[in-house]
Amino acid sequence: MAQKTINLILMGYGNVGRALVRLLEEKTDRLRASHGLSLSLQAIFKSTGGLFPCAGLEIKDILDDPAAGLSSHPLWKSNLSLESVLREAEPGVLVDCAPSNLKTGEPGLTHTRLALDSGWHVVTANKGPLAVDFSALRRKASGNRLALKFSGAVAAALPALDVGLYSLAGTEVLAIEGILNGTTNFILAEMGKGRSYSEAFQEARARGIAEPDPAYDVEGWDTAVKLLLIANAVMGLELRLADISVEGIVDLPAELVERARSEGKSLKLLGRIRREQSGPIASVAPCTIDRTHPLFGVDGPAKGITYFTDTMGALTISGGKSDPRGAAAALLKDIINIYRS
Amino acid sequence: MAQKTINLILMGYGNVGRALVRLLEEKTDRLRASHGLSLSLQAIFKSTGGLFPCAGLEIKDILDDPAAGLSSHPLWKSNLSLESVLREAEPGVLVDCAPSNLKTGEPGLTHTRLALDSGWHVVTANKGPLAVDFSALRRKASGNRLALKFSGAVAAALPALDVGLYSLAGTEVLAIEGILNGTTNFILAEMGKGRSYSEAFQEARARGIAEPDPAYDVEGWDTAVKLLLIANAVMGLELRLADISVEGIVDLPAELVERARSEGKSLKLLGRIRREQSGPIASVAPCTIDRTHPLFGVDGPAKGITYFTDTMGALTISGGKSDPRGAAAALLKDIINIYRS
């Protein structure tokens, strides 16, 4: 198989960034054999600077000291600029796993624009830039004939976007329903076992399922942002967060969950959007669904999404790891699919 | 959006072929707007001859008389050869929805080879050629830089292949389990309501779910062929049908279904393959699964498939219409994805 070397720049070196570096090491042979790709990590950026050039480095040297790690490395530069790396290295893919702000999109928004303006594809797990400026970023990417892929920002290993954009090509998506947040689905499952909201919430924390600041999850915003990104990409909309009615599960009365259960039903936090004659209607809210609903069995910390279409009926995807390795695998998949011939 | 005109040759004019012609008509505007594609039907072949050239014809003229239809059309040629059409028209996509033989693969095998040798991509719903000669056809296609896509041969609208080949890029698929045949799943669901095998079988016939010759379904061969095609494509294997141990559901004792149900479990006809150190092990057999199995909720005439991977965990896809319109939509999707930039 003909081989191609692709440069990567990694923005962010948290759990997902490190999992990706590890995966690049682990999958080197497979990427060559199955896809003819040699992925060459050129630079790693953190908010405090960057490591560059990494190309000659053994990946295990980078991984060896994950905590203090990068900034004590002899090649660490506290004043390294992304512009200089984008200019010096042959364009490939900028991979963004850095933390970002959902209100401003920064610093990811600036990084994404810089990359797309410099001939680099972008693969991102960073919701901020997409939530703030999706339509313009998509236009910039397609105008420059570059890919902007964001499976990792939407549902990690669950291929919600692939199915929506690729497998449903030619259909009209009439509605989407999704259980898009693992933390809230876990809390609801625990409440289904008879626990109160706060007991279930503590359990999610104890198991490391809930984020350090879980308000974003339990108030429904994580679901809303994911729904927004999926609906805009798949249904060709230009929705903003303010267009979605959002209700979370904070302090949800245990009786509601219990009543659903006693009727053989299940209470889920659903993100939903459907086309109406007046335009799309989108919401996030706790909903009681019965056994016939395709997401009925999506339980515990799992996620799932159903597309309702004109020609293919209803299609459901569920499962997929949502740990850092699963998210990194989604990034790697997006990189591979850019270069698929 | 830049527009591209793509020539199509349609082999077979049964339910799926007619549904595709209808869909081409219905989706003309959408294909132009969303994908920049204008699909131009050049010829329709039946076993008795062909209609050519169709390019100038209104599609409704072709559809108007579906029964006697084609062969009484002024452009019908009973001696039309595929070679001549492949030669005269600018290469595009040969779409195969003709009946074929699972033992010889003919006549689809000859048609597929001719198309790939003449610079035409192939999109097929025809299992025969793939079951008989998949590896060589795949090599021929990739050697000639042509696409050979077969979503329609595997699970109609259920995007089993897209997810396996596209969304799981970079993962290793350790095992696959699937409910791949709607007829048998319907029969088992009816038996779950207390019916005997023969009562359930009659019900499937009465509802038009069972094929006129359902032996192929209920003996497990349809599931086996689909498992074979998916496993070979996704796991990179070269299995033959003889490598799969196949057990169907013919005359399955109602007690087995009842016992599963009384234990809160469910009996399904599963196609399964897993990698072992000694090599892949593949089987089709009735299996009892419990509530925690990702295919537990795939009921009635529905289908579903679960991929077990090294990095993304378990991913399940279910649903998708399996009527002629759903199958035609899968063919259309494959055509669109060939020309995706």
PDB file of all heavy atoms in Angstrom, chain A residues 3 11 29 57 65 86 96 140 145 155 172-173 250 267 274 304 313 321 323 329-330:
ATOM      1  N   GLN A   3       2.340   4.702   0.924  1.00  0.00           N
ATOM      2  CA  GLN A   3       2.375   5.311   2.252  1.00  0.00           C
ATOM      3  C   GLN A   3       2.413   6.831   2.151  1.00  0.00           C
ATOM      4  O   GLN A   3       3.015   7.399   1.243  1.00  0.00           O
ATOM      5  CB  GLN A   3       3.610   4.828   3.027  1.00  0.00           C
ATOM      6  CG  GLN A   3       3.626   3.327   3.304  1.00  0.00           C
ATOM      7  CD  GLN A   3       2.557   2.896   4.304  1.00  0.00           C
ATOM      8  OE1 GLN A   3       2.362   3.537   5.325  1.00  0.00           O
ATOM      9  NE2 GLN A   3       1.840   1.821   3.983  1.00  0.00           N
ATOM     10  N   MET A  11      -3.249  20.256  20.178  1.00  0.00           N
ATOM     11  CA  MET A  11      -3.555  21.349  21.100  1.00  0.00           C
ATOM     12  C   MET A  11      -4.183  20.743  22.342  1.00  0.00           C
ATOM     13  O   MET A  11      -5.263  20.147  22.263  1.00  0.00           O
ATOM     14  CB  MET A  11      -4.558  22.342  20.492  1.00  0.00           C
ATOM     15  CG  MET A  11      -4.244  22.849  19.100  1.00  0.00           C
ATOM     16  SD  MET A  11      -2.645  23.651  18.956  1.00  0.00           S
ATOM     17  CE  MET A  11      -2.892  25.105  19.980  1.00  0.00           C
ATOM     18  N   ASP A  29       1.678   0.499  13.519  1.00  0.00           N
ATOM     19  CA  ASP A  29       1.738  -0.545  12.488  1.00  0.00           C
ATOM     20  C   ASP A  29       0.408  -0.702  11.756  1.00  0.00           C
ATOM     21  O   ASP A  29       0.362  -0.836  10.533  1.00  0.00           O
ATOM     22  CB  ASP A  29       2.124  -1.888  13.116  1.00  0.00           C
ATOM     23  CG  ASP A  29       3.537  -1.845  13.673  1.00  0.00           C
ATOM     24  OD1 ASP A  29       4.300  -0.932  13.279  1.00  0.00           O
ATOM     25  OD2 ASP A  29       3.866  -2.698  14.518  1.00  0.00           O
ATOM     26  N   LEU A  57      11.188  12.659  18.139  1.00  0.00           N
ATOM     27  CA  LEU A  57      11.134  12.111  19.492  1.00  0.00           C
ATOM     28  C   LEU A  57      10.424  10.768  19.539  1.00  0.00           C
ATOM     29  O   LEU A  57       9.440  10.552  18.845  1.00  0.00           O
ATOM     30  CB  LEU A  57      10.388  13.070  20.425  1.00  0.00           C
ATOM     31  CG  LEU A  57      10.964  14.467  20.580  1.00  0.00           C
ATOM     32  CD1 LEU A  57      10.113  15.259  21.574  1.00  0.00           C
ATOM     33  CD2 LEU A  57      12.401  14.411  21.053  1.00  0.00           C
ATOM     34  N   ASP A  65       6.721  11.174  31.499  1.00  0.00           N
ATOM     35  CA  ASP A  65       6.506  11.961  32.705  1.00  0.00           C
ATOM     36  C   ASP A  65       5.244  12.800  32.508  1.00  0.00           C
ATOM     37  O   ASP A  65       5.309  13.991  32.246  1.00  0.00           O
ATOM     38  CB  ASP A  65       7.742  12.850  32.922  1.00  0.00           C
ATOM     39  CG  ASP A  65       7.671  13.573  34.257  1.00  0.00           C
ATOM     40  OD1 ASP A  65       6.675  13.386  34.988  1.00  0.00           O
ATOM     41  OD2 ASP A  65       8.599  14.336  34.551  1.00  0.00           O
ATOM     42  N   LEU A  86       2.523  26.294  12.400  1.00  0.00           N
ATOM     43  CA  LEU A  86       1.672  26.129  11.210  1.00  0.00           C
ATOM     44  C   LEU A  86       2.444  26.495   9.949  1.00  0.00           C
ATOM     45  O   LEU A  86       2.228  25.930   8.878  1.00  0.00           O
ATOM     46  CB  LEU A  86       0.423  27.014  11.319  1.00  0.00           C
ATOM     47  CG  LEU A  86      -0.630  26.599  12.358  1.00  0.00           C
ATOM     48  CD1 LEU A  86      -1.673  27.701  12.535  1.00  0.00           C
ATOM     49  CD2 LEU A  86      -1.318  25.294  11.962  1.00  0.00           C
ATOM     50  N   ASP A  96      -7.511  19.370  18.140  1.00  0.00           N
ATOM     51  CA  ASP A  96      -7.773  20.228  19.293  1.00  0.00           C
ATOM     52  C   ASP A  96      -8.469  19.459  20.407  1.00  0.00           C
ATOM     53  O   ASP A  96      -9.637  19.089  20.288  1.00  0.00           O
ATOM     54  CB  ASP A  96      -8.633  21.420  18.848  1.00  0.00           C
ATOM     55  CG  ASP A  96      -8.773  22.462  19.956  1.00  0.00           C
ATOM     56  OD1 ASP A  96      -8.239  22.241  21.067  1.00  0.00           O
ATOM     57  OD2 ASP A  96      -9.407  23.504  19.697  1.00  0.00           O
ATOM     58  N   LYS A 140     -15.488  28.342   6.177  1.00  0.00           N
ATOM     59  CA  LYS A 140     -14.050  28.563   5.997  1.00  0.00           C
ATOM     60  C   LYS A 140     -13.372  27.259   5.566  1.00  0.00           C
ATOM     61  O   LYS A 140     -12.575  27.243   4.624  1.00  0.00           O
ATOM     62  CB  LYS A 140     -13.439  29.075   7.311  1.00  0.00           C
ATOM     63  CG  LYS A 140     -12.005  29.586   7.189  1.00  0.00           C
ATOM     64  CD  LYS A 140     -11.408  29.937   8.563  1.00  0.00           C
ATOM     65  CE  LYS A 140     -11.689  31.345   9.024  1.00  0.00           C
ATOM     66  NZ  LYS A 140     -10.997  32.382   8.224  1.00  0.00           N
ATOM     67  N   ARG A 145     -11.187  24.076   0.989  1.00  0.00           N
ATOM     68  CA  ARG A 145     -11.119  22.641   0.676  1.00  0.00           C
ATOM     69  C   ARG A 145     -10.395  21.845   1.760  1.00  0.00           C
ATOM     70  O   ARG A 145      -9.548  20.988   1.490  1.00  0.00           O
ATOM     71  CB  ARG A 145     -10.447  22.399  -0.685  1.00  0.00           C
ATOM     72  CG  ARG A 145     -11.175  23.120  -1.810  1.00  0.00           C
ATOM     73  CD  ARG A 145     -10.619  22.782  -3.174  1.00  0.00           C
ATOM     74  NE  ARG A 145     -11.681  22.708  -4.160  1.00  0.00           N
ATOM     75  CZ  ARG A 145     -12.373  21.597  -4.454  1.00  0.00           C
ATOM     76  NH1 ARG A 145     -12.090  20.466  -3.875  1.00  0.00           N
ATOM     77  NH2 ARG A 145     -13.341  21.628  -5.349  1.00  0.00           N
ATOM     78  N   ALA A 155     -19.953  13.062  20.656  1.00  0.00           N
ATOM     79  CA  ALA A 155     -20.369  11.893  21.428  1.00  0.00           C
ATOM     80  C   ALA A 155     -19.240  10.878  21.520  1.00  0.00           C
ATOM     81  O   ALA A 155     -19.487   9.693  21.626  1.00  0.00           O
ATOM     82  CB  ALA A 155     -21.608  11.265  20.814  1.00  0.00           C
ATOM     83  N   GLU A 172     -33.841  12.572   4.072  1.00  0.00           N
ATOM     84  CA  GLU A 172     -34.141  13.783   4.822  1.00  0.00           C
ATOM     85  C   GLU A 172     -34.328  13.371   6.275  1.00  0.00           C
ATOM     86  O   GLU A 172     -35.092  12.456   6.579  1.00  0.00           O
ATOM     87  CB  GLU A 172     -35.408  14.460   4.302  1.00  0.00           C
ATOM     88  CG  GLU A 172     -35.600  15.811   4.967  1.00  0.00           C
ATOM     89  CD  GLU A 172     -36.836  16.549   4.455  1.00  0.00           C
ATOM     90  OE1 GLU A 172     -37.553  15.985   3.612  1.00  0.00           O
ATOM     91  OE2 GLU A 172     -37.066  17.667   4.907  1.00  0.00           O
ATOM     92  N   VAL A 173     -33.577  14.034   7.165  1.00  0.00           N
ATOM     93  CA  VAL A 173     -33.720  13.739   8.589  1.00  0.00           C
ATOM     94  C   VAL A 173     -34.880  14.581   9.115  1.00  0.00           C
ATOM     95  O   VAL A 173     -34.829  15.807   9.107  1.00  0.00           O
ATOM     96  CB  VAL A 173     -32.413  14.034   9.347  1.00  0.00           C
ATOM     97  CG1 VAL A 173     -32.619  13.869  10.851  1.00  0.00           C
ATOM     98  CG2 VAL A 173     -31.310  13.102   8.852  1.00  0.00           C
ATOM     99  N   VAL A 250     -31.735  18.513  37.622  1.00  0.00           N
ATOM    100  CA  VAL A 250     -31.349  18.901  38.988  1.00  0.00           C
ATOM    101  C   VAL A 250     -32.549  18.763  39.930  1.00  0.00           C
ATOM    102  O   VAL A 250     -33.627  19.292  39.649  1.00  0.00           O
ATOM    103  CB  VAL A 250     -30.837  20.361  39.015  1.00  0.00           C
ATOM    104  CG1 VAL A 250     -30.461  20.754  40.441  1.00  0.00           C
ATOM    105  CG2 VAL A 250     -29.656  20.520  38.087  1.00  0.00           C
ATOM    106  N   LEU A 267     -37.461   6.964  32.513  1.00  0.00           N
ATOM    107  CA  LEU A 267     -37.292   8.407  32.388  1.00  0.00           C
ATOM    108  C   LEU A 267     -35.874   8.719  31.906  1.00  0.00           C
ATOM    109  O   LEU A 267     -34.901   8.266  32.498  1.00  0.00           O
ATOM    110  CB  LEU A 267     -37.567   9.075  33.734  1.00  0.00           C
ATOM    111  CG  LEU A 267     -37.885  10.564  33.608  1.00  0.00           C
ATOM    112  CD1 LEU A 267     -39.167  10.890  34.349  1.00  0.00           C
ATOM    113  CD2 LEU A 267     -36.757  11.401  34.122  1.00  0.00           C
ATOM    114  N   ARG A 274     -37.169  18.357  15.922  1.00  0.00           N
ATOM    115  CA  ARG A 274     -37.962  17.883  14.788  1.00  0.00           C
ATOM    116  C   ARG A 274     -38.309  19.067  13.891  1.00  0.00           C
ATOM    117  O   ARG A 274     -38.393  20.215  14.351  1.00  0.00           O
ATOM    118  CB  ARG A 274     -39.222  17.157  15.261  1.00  0.00           C
ATOM    119  CG  ARG A 274     -40.184  18.014  16.027  1.00  0.00           C
ATOM    120  CD  ARG A 274     -41.464  17.236  16.388  1.00  0.00           C
ATOM    121  NE  ARG A 274     -42.476  18.186  16.822  1.00  0.00           N
ATOM    122  CZ  ARG A 274     -42.564  18.681  18.063  1.00  0.00           C
ATOM    123  NH1 ARG A 274     -41.699  18.302  19.001  1.00  0.00           N
ATOM    124  NH2 ARG A 274     -43.498  19.552  18.385  1.00  0.00           N
ATOM    125  N   GLY A 304     -26.902   7.209  23.308  1.00  0.00           N
ATOM    126  CA  GLY A 304     -27.519   6.688  22.097  1.00  0.00           C
ATOM    127  C   GLY A 304     -28.224   7.798  21.348  1.00  0.00           C
ATOM    128  O   GLY A 304     -28.562   8.841  21.921  1.00  0.00           O
ATOM    129  N   GLY A 313     -36.436   4.999   7.435  1.00  0.00           N
ATOM    130  CA  GLY A 313     -37.073   4.727   8.720  1.00  0.00           C
ATOM    131  C   GLY A 313     -36.253   5.296   9.857  1.00  0.00           C
ATOM    132  O   GLY A 313     -35.535   6.291   9.675  1.00  0.00           O
ATOM    133  N   LYS A 321     -17.395   3.689  23.953  1.00  0.00           N
ATOM    134  CA  LYS A 321     -16.742   4.155  25.185  1.00  0.00           C
ATOM    135  C   LYS A 321     -16.712   5.668  25.250  1.00  0.00           C
ATOM    136  O   LYS A 321     -16.431   6.331  24.257  1.00  0.00           O
ATOM    137  CB  LYS A 321     -15.309   3.641  25.223  1.00  0.00           C
ATOM    138  CG  LYS A 321     -15.185   2.277  25.828  1.00  0.00           C
ATOM    139  CD  LYS A 321     -13.758   2.056  26.302  1.00  0.00           C
ATOM    140  CE  LYS A 321     -13.647   0.708  26.998  1.00  0.00           C
ATOM    141  NZ  LYS A 321     -12.242   0.325  27.167  1.00  0.00           N
ATOM    142  N   ASP A 323     -14.749   7.135  27.675  1.00  0.00           N
ATOM    143  CA  ASP A 323     -13.548   7.488  28.443  1.00  0.00           C
ATOM    144  C   ASP A 323     -12.537   8.179  27.518  1.00  0.00           C
ATOM    145  O   ASP A 323     -12.775   8.305  26.310  1.00  0.00           O
ATOM    146  CB  ASP A 323     -12.964   6.217  29.079  1.00  0.00           C
ATOM    147  CG  ASP A 323     -12.565   5.192  28.044  1.00  0.00           C
ATOM    148  OD1 ASP A 323     -12.753   5.444  26.828  1.00  0.00           O
ATOM    149  OD2 ASP A 323     -12.066   4.127  28.427  1.00  0.00           O
ATOM    150  N   ALA A 329      -9.855   7.642  20.316  1.00  0.00           N
ATOM    151  CA  ALA A 329     -10.116   6.762  19.166  1.00  0.00           C
ATOM    152  C   ALA A 329     -11.011   7.472  18.147  1.00  0.00           C
ATOM    153  O   ALA A 329     -10.865   7.279  16.938  1.00  0.00           O
ATOM    154  CB  ALA A 329     -10.749   5.451  19.631  1.00  0.00           C
ATOM    155  N   ALA A 330     -11.938   8.295  18.638  1.00  0.00           N
ATOM    156  CA  ALA A 330     -12.808   9.055  17.722  1.00  0.00           C
ATOM    157  C   ALA A 330     -11.989  10.101  16.960  1.00  0.00           C
ATOM    158  O   ALA A 330     -12.212  10.334  15.769  1.00  0.00           O
ATOM    159  CB  ALA A 330     -13.938   9.714  18.509  1.00  0.00           C
TER     160      ALA A 330
END
